[in-house]
Structures are given as C-alpha cells and as structure tokens.
Amino acid sequence: MGDPAGIGPEITALAWASLQGANKPFFLIGDFDLARHHAARQGQPEPVAIARADEATSVFATALPVMPLTLPATVKTGKPDTANAPVVIASIEMAAKLVMKGQAGAMVTNPIAKAVLYDAGFAHPGHTEFLGELARGADNWQAPHGPVMMLSGGGLRVALVSVHIPLKDVVGSLNTKTIIHTAMVLDQALKYDFGIVQPRIALCGLNPHAGEDGAMGDEEIHIINPAARALRAQGISITDAQPADALFREEARSTYDAVLALYHDQGLIPVKTLDFHGGINTSLGLPFIRTSPDHGTGFAIAGKGCARADSLIAAIKAAHSMSVCRASQVS
Amino acid sequence: MGDPAGIGPEITALAWASLQGANKPFFLIGDFDLARHHAARQGQPEPVAIARADEATSVFATALPVMPLTLPATVKTGKPDTANAPVVIASIEMAAKLVMKGQAGAMVTNPIAKAVLYDAGFAHPGHTEFLGELARGADNWQAPHGPVMMLSGGGLRVALVSVHIPLKDVVGSLNTKTIIHTAMVLDQALKYDFGIVQPRIALCGLNPHAGEDGAMGDEEIHIINPAARALRAQGISITDAQPADALFREEARSTYDAVLALYHDQGLIPVKTLDFHGGINTSLGLPFIRTSPDHGTGFAIAGKGCARADSLIAAIKAAHSMSVCRASQVS
C-alpha cells in the first residue's frame, strides 16, 4: 500500500497496465475506492476485490486485484494523515503474513512516510527493520539473516554494510564481524534468490585508493581485508578492499555479481548515477522476498500525473524473478 | 614528461597522432631518444627537437615537437629508476616556468610515481601541491587560489573540498571556511577558464540524504549550509547541501555547471563510473592552467601496446580550450 496520500496508488495502477500482459501477476493490499479512483483516472477497468491471494492470478489479466483494507480518513492527495497510518502498518503486516505462509511469492512495498507512522506510534526506523521484526520466528529460515539492504540498477547490485547513520559514525561502526555477516547474507541471497552458483563479490575500500597500503587510512589493513580473508576461508568468493572510485566502471562490472559497499553514499551514488528511475531496493536476509521502489512518497507530485512507475515496475519484476528462483531451489 | 618508465611516453605519441590534425599543438618536455623510440614503434615521423616553445606550432603538424631533457639512466619500461627522478622533477619546473611566462598556454602532466620521487628527495605530496609551491609569487594572480582538484568526465565537473585523507579525518577536517574557499576557487575558474558567466554550483551533503534535517548527522546544518549561505551572500550561485546519491543522475546534471563534493570517493565515484577512460584532473586556483590524465603511471602495462591515451587526449583538449578561454578574457 504505502502512504495513500503519496504516488503509491497511481504508480500501482501504472504498474498494472505495464505488467498486465507479462504474466507477472501481483495484487494490491490497499483501499479499494482509492484503487478504483486511480484506475478510472487512467482509463483502466475497475479493479476486482479478492479475499484470498490465489484469486489474484486469474483476475490480473483483466483488472488489478485488490485485497481490500479500508482507510478511516478520506485521502487528500499530497497530504499525509496520521489517522490512516494504522492501516498502512496493517497492510505491511498482512503482506508479511501472506508471504511467510507461502500464499504469495514475494512482497513489494510502496513508499511510506516515516514521520507520519512515527506519529501513529510506529516504533521501527523504517520498513526494513519492521520486516526484520515481523520475520522473527519464521520457522523455515536457517540461512544467515539480516536484514541487509541491497540496491540494484544500471546493471549493478550493491549491498550495504551500514545504511542510515551519519558519516562520522561510519568508521567507528565498522568491524570485521559486521562485514562478514553482511557478506554472508549477500552471498546466500545471490545463490538462493538469484540462482548464481558461485557468486563473486567485490568489496569496497573505505579510504581514497583503498588506503594505498596504509598511506591514507588503515581500516583496509586492520578491519576490511581480514574480514575478506575469513570469508574466503569459508568458501565465499570476495575480493580484498578495492578502490571504490574505480570499482563501478563499465569494464569492472563484469568481474563481479555484486558489490559490498561500506556506507550509504558509496553504494547509492553509482546505482543512482547510472539508473535513477529504474533502481530498486531489495531486503536480503529475510525469510521472504521483499523489494521496493527506490524513491520516496512523492507527496509534492502526487496526483499530478507525472509520477513515474519505472522503479515500482522494476521492483515487481525483480520480486517475481527472485520468487521463481527461490521456489525452483526449494522444490 | 611524467615517469619515463610508465605509459607516459607511448600515450604522448598516441596523443600526437590523434591531435595532429586538430590544430591543438602541444610539445613534450622530455627525453628525445625515448620520444623517437615510441614514435618509431607507432610508425610516426621522427620527433623534432625545439629550443623555444613558439617553434612548436609549426612543427606539430608534421611531427611531435620535443623540448629535450636528457635522462641520466637508460629507461627500462615498467621499472622506475630513482636516478631519473631529478629530470622528471625538472620537467615539471620547466613547464611551470614556461606557462607562468606565458610562453605556453597550459601545462599537461603525465603521471608520476610519487614513491620514486620521494626517494629522490621530492618533498611534496604530489604534482598538485608542488605546482602550488611553484606558483607562489606569480605576479599576475589575484584570484582566490588553491590549488583545488577538479575531476571532469561523463559530462560532470566535480571539485573536491578534501582529497587524499583517510575517511575518518574527513568530518573533522570539514569547516565552513574551507568550503567557502574551495567554492570561490571553483566559481572563479568556471568564469575565467570555462567562460561561464554565472556558474551554478551544486553542493553535496555529507550524510545520507544530506542528513534529513539533522536526523542522520548535523554537519549540513552547522557547517555546510552556513557556508552556502555565506557564498550566496557574495553573489555565488551555490545550492544548500544536496543528497549526494541523487545529485549525479542524468536529469540533475543539467541544473548545475559543477558539483562541489566533500571527499574523494563522493566526487570520484560518479565521474569514474560514467567515464573511466576519458576522465581528467584539473588543478584550479593556480596562476596557470594545468590538466592531467586521471590515471597512474601504468608500469604493469607500459610498453605492451595496450595503454589507452583517451584521458591524456581529453586532458590536452581541455587544456587547449581553457587556455583559449582565459586568453580571450584577458585580452
């Protein structure tokens, strides 16, 4: 669902139109009237309410299937309303329940406004951490787990060791254990959800030129490369710390399946520079597949007909392909 | 000249072949026999020794003009030799003298091996700092001066507030005064050397999402945005701190003439991701124009015929165009 006052409802309708013929069915967990409104605005058939996930497949070819959740307050496009926050949260919980029960193959989340959910008592930093909480106790999950944030776009997959922390805290938070854990989650996901038999991971250095043998910082020597050695000793194919500025060039991209970056901008700059609209976010290390568009709620442009659904469409396609891959390996 | 055991001599010959017909004459300050060797290997006419810079223009159309400096030790390709370091240094000094006297329009430096020069007693961190030293006392220079490192490539110009320091020192070294100074040097260069009447500068934030109003770091609030306000009060068109991950996307690139990045990888990742081979380095804030290819000496591939001259050629073209621009404004 995402925040109903943002661009979520309109890009969901756009995504249905785009994917309708592609045999990649999805259904919306959200307000039925809002979905009907946006379908009508886009000249689409009226959505169809469904009660069970398995009804979605047959409906999808001719209309957007909606598992309805009713919003208490009227949605004013562009103006988020705390009164609707509990239903936004409920939609996330319902999606997590359905994927954990295996009734849906993956979940895709439209953008939420954290501040609005906080006002309603939401006690998690964001979607990803909330899903990590919901995933606890899932009984079918033994792999190393996270959650770990991975961005994809422009032919790159980039997972992050640290995410939403101030840059001044990045160096202090960096340790060998966390790098090892994140790389293991990434390696597992590349095998399990992307079907890569022996994934190749490239590891970013922290300092300019990856420290140049200690001349410009020594975290590569004392923290990062020891983690890489420990990972290789466990059979994971990962490089030592590489100069991050050269690692995302076209010729280098064919030498790895994913990059492990150490902090937010190091990983997001190359993905967004190459593919701003089509980039997506994937949560690795959960007992289910979850992707999301890599943009915010877009309150400022909501309802104006200019929102682009590229990222949501890419997120749905990726979720579909990952779920097919995971299912084929389980069976 | 750069290090004679690196790829400098061969890419110089390649650059002559590429630019010969383009009316962008340059001359080499370097060893004549080495230049002759590489010209012959590439099937080019024998270079012509010149004694004065103004002879270069007429020679350039038919052969590489060389202002000769004789190396004391025989060059072994791929094996740098400290014995030759004093001549490498002399070539930089000679180039600086010629451009400061106005006998050449710009200088372009081939890559040096810092460790080799250090062994020979070179007391500067690199080319740029050495040139800053040589530039002292130039009597025709009143503008704010630096030097400031700027990378160009893939349609981007990115200047750096900090360069070759460990990431852990970036936050501590950041202050309003340095940002103001760097932005003023950049603004001046964009006007003076690039002919942009009212340059638009985009300023990177330090933290994820530029701190999100202080939620993830407060340097934007206390250090970076105050610098931007002070700059705007002086008539310089610069933004407040922007989320760095979104700033280099294609649509954003048309909204500025240059980006001011706060640390090495923040600025170099987007340039090298978009244009690894054609990216160049420009030193702003010097009383003369200086560019260089954005790569190292390439000892490992020197002499093998696979070195690419793209970056050197781009550096020479940029130096030419900047010198034409600066000359037109002075006259």
Side-chain angles (χ1 to χ4, degrees):
Chain A
M1 178 177 205
D3 197 295
I7 60 174
E10 62 195 271
I11 62 175
T12 302
L14 289 166
W16 173 78
S18 169
L19 293 170
Q20 179 200 1
N23 197 25
K24 292 176 184 176
F26 66 89
F27 60 98
L28 172 68
I29 302 176
D31 188 88
F32 188 80
D33 289 341
L34 193 62
R36 182 162 55 188
H37 168 74
H38 283 283
R41 273 195 65 170
Q42 295 180 27
Q44 296 173 4
E46 179 157 319
V48 173
I50 59 171
R52 296 191 328 271
D54 60 8
E55 297 168 47
T57 311
S58 59
V59 168
F60 188 79
T62 52
L64 175 69
V66 179
M67 190 171 281
L69 280 181
T70 304
L71 292 164
T74 306
V75 171
K76 296 195 186 93
T77 298
K79 309 247 178 250
D81 187 337
T82 307
N84 286 330
V87 178
V88 175
I89 296 167
S91 78
I92 302 169
E93 291 169 330
M94 191 184 291
K97 197 177 288 178
L98 290 169
V99 289
M100 283 197 282
K101 282 187 181 169
Q103 296 180 7
M107 76 184 283
V108 181
T109 54
N110 261 317
I112 54 173
K114 290 167 199 173
V116 178
L117 301 193
Y118 295 161
D119 287 346
F122 187 70
H124 309 274
H127 254 135
T128 310
E129 296 81 359
F130 182 40
L131 293 172
E133 196 62 36
L134 293 175
R136 283 200 190 178
D139 54 14
N140 61 342
W141 191 244
Q142 304 297 328
H145 51 285
V148 166
M149 181 170 164
M150 184 174 86
L151 279 291
S152 313
L156 289 171
R157 294 186 193 99
V158 185
L160 299 177
V161 174
S162 71
V163 187
H164 291 127
I165 59 172
L167 189 76
K168 74 167 158 28
D169 297 337
V170 165
V171 181
S173 76
L174 198 68
N175 63 70
T176 299
K177 199 175 146 189
T178 309
I179 296 170
I180 290 174
H181 171 258
T182 314
M184 288 179 68
V185 170
L186 174 59
D187 180 72
Q188 188 74 16
L190 292 170
K191 288 172 179 158
Y192 200 51
D193 296 334
F194 295 90
I196 301 166
V197 177
Q198 176 61 277
R200 300 160 303 164
I201 300 173
L203 179 58
C204 286
L206 178 73
N207 296 299
H209 312 178
E212 219 173 285
D213 299 322
M216 290 180 265
D218 58 8
E219 291 84 359
E220 285 79 6
I221 296 169
H222 298 304
I223 299 174
I224 306 168
N225 290 342
R229 280 196 296 274
L231 286 157
R232 289 194 295 269
Q234 294 181 53
I236 290 175
S237 170
I238 187 167
T239 67
D240 275 343
Q242 302 292 309
D245 59 346
L247 194 51
F248 300 100
R249 70 182 193 274
E250 195 169 3
E251 286 145 311
R253 287 173 222 159
S254 61
T255 65
Y256 50 74
D257 299 299
V259 171
L260 187 55
L262 302 178
Y263 58 92
H264 186 276
D265 280 3
Q266 186 179 57
L268 267 70
I269 287 176
V271 173
K272 292 200 172 186
T273 297
L274 290 173
D275 191 6
F276 188 72
H277 293 292
I280 68 163
N281 175 14
T282 305
S283 301
L284 311 179
L286 294 173
F288 49 84
I289 291 157
R290 181 255 174 158
T291 66
S292 72
D294 180 30
H295 56 67
T297 52
F299 291 133
I301 60 163
K304 298 187 177 164
C306 61
R308 293 177 59 155
D310 308 45
S311 184
L312 177 61
I313 293 167
I316 295 169
K317 284 182 177 171
H320 181 267
S321 123
M322 289 169 72
S323 68
V324 169
C325 184
R326 191 181 281 204
S328 75
Q329 303 206 17
V330 171
S331 63
Chain B
M1 178 177 203
D3 196 295
I7 59 174
E10 63 195 272
I11 62 176
T12 302
L14 288 166
W16 174 77
S18 170
L19 294 170
Q20 179 200 1
N23 196 25
K24 291 176 185 177
F26 67 88
F27 61 97
L28 171 67
I29 301 175
D31 189 90
F32 188 81
D33 289 342
L34 193 63
R36 184 163 52 187
H37 169 74
H38 282 283
R41 275 195 66 169
Q42 295 181 26
Q44 296 172 4
E46 180 158 321
V48 173
I50 60 171
R52 297 193 325 273
D54 60 8
E55 298 169 46
T57 311
S58 60
V59 169
F60 189 78
T62 52
L64 175 68
V66 180
M67 191 172 280
L69 280 180
T70 304
L71 293 165
T74 305
V75 172
K76 297 195 185 94
T77 297
K79 309 247 178 255
D81 187 337
T82 309
N84 286 330
V87 177
V88 174
I89 297 167
S91 78
I92 303 169
E93 290 169 331
M94 191 184 293
K97 197 177 288 179
L98 290 169
V99 288
M100 282 198 281
K101 282 188 182 168
Q103 296 179 6
M107 75 184 283
V108 181
T109 54
N110 262 317
I112 53 173
K114 290 169 199 170
V116 178
L117 300 193
Y118 295 160
D119 287 346
F122 187 69
H124 309 276
H127 253 133
T128 310
E129 296 82 358
F130 183 38
L131 294 173
E133 195 63 37
L134 293 177
R136 281 200 192 181
D139 55 14
N140 61 342
W141 190 245
Q142 304 297 328
H145 50 284
V148 166
M149 182 171 163
M150 183 174 87
L151 280 291
S152 314
L156 289 171
R157 293 185 194 101
V158 185
L160 300 177
V161 174
S162 71
V163 187
H164 291 127
I165 59 173
L167 190 77
K168 73 168 157 31
D169 297 337
V170 165
V171 182
S173 77
L174 199 68
N175 64 70
T176 300
K177 199 176 145 189
T178 309
I179 296 170
I180 291 175
H181 172 259
T182 314
M184 287 178 69
V185 169
L186 174 59
D187 180 72
Q188 188 75 17
L190 292 169
K191 289 173 178 158
Y192 200 51
D193 296 334
F194 295 90
I196 301 166
V197 177
Q198 176 61 279
R200 299 160 304 164
I201 300 172
L203 179 59
C204 285
L206 178 75
N207 296 299
H209 313 178
E212 219 173 287
D213 299 323
M216 290 179 265
D218 58 9
E219 291 83 0
E220 284 80 6
I221 296 169
H222 299 304
I223 299 174
I224 305 168
N225 289 343
R229 280 195 297 276
L231 286 158
R232 290 195 294 269
Q234 295 180 52
I236 290 174
S237 170
I238 187 168
T239 67
D240 274 344
Q242 303 293 308
D245 59 346
L247 194 51
F248 301 99
R249 70 184 194 274
E250 194 170 2
E251 286 145 311
R253 287 174 223 157
S254 61
T255 67
Y256 50 74
D257 299 298
V259 170
L260 187 55
L262 301 178
Y263 57 92
H264 184 276
D265 280 3
Q266 188 180 54
L268 267 69
I269 287 175
V271 173
K272 292 200 173 186
T273 297
L274 290 173
D275 190 6
F276 188 71
H277 292 292
I280 67 162
N281 175 13
T282 305
S283 302
L284 310 179
L286 294 174
F288 49 83
I289 291 157
R290 181 255 174 157
T291 67
S292 71
D294 182 29
H295 56 66
T297 52
F299 292 132
I301 60 163
K304 297 186 177 163
C306 61
R308 292 176 60 155
D310 308 44
S311 185
L312 177 60
I313 292 167
I316 295 170
K317 284 182 177 172
H320 181 267
S321 124
M322 289 168 73
S323 68
V324 168
C325 185
R326 191 182 281 205
S328 76
Q329 302 205 19
V330 170
S331 62

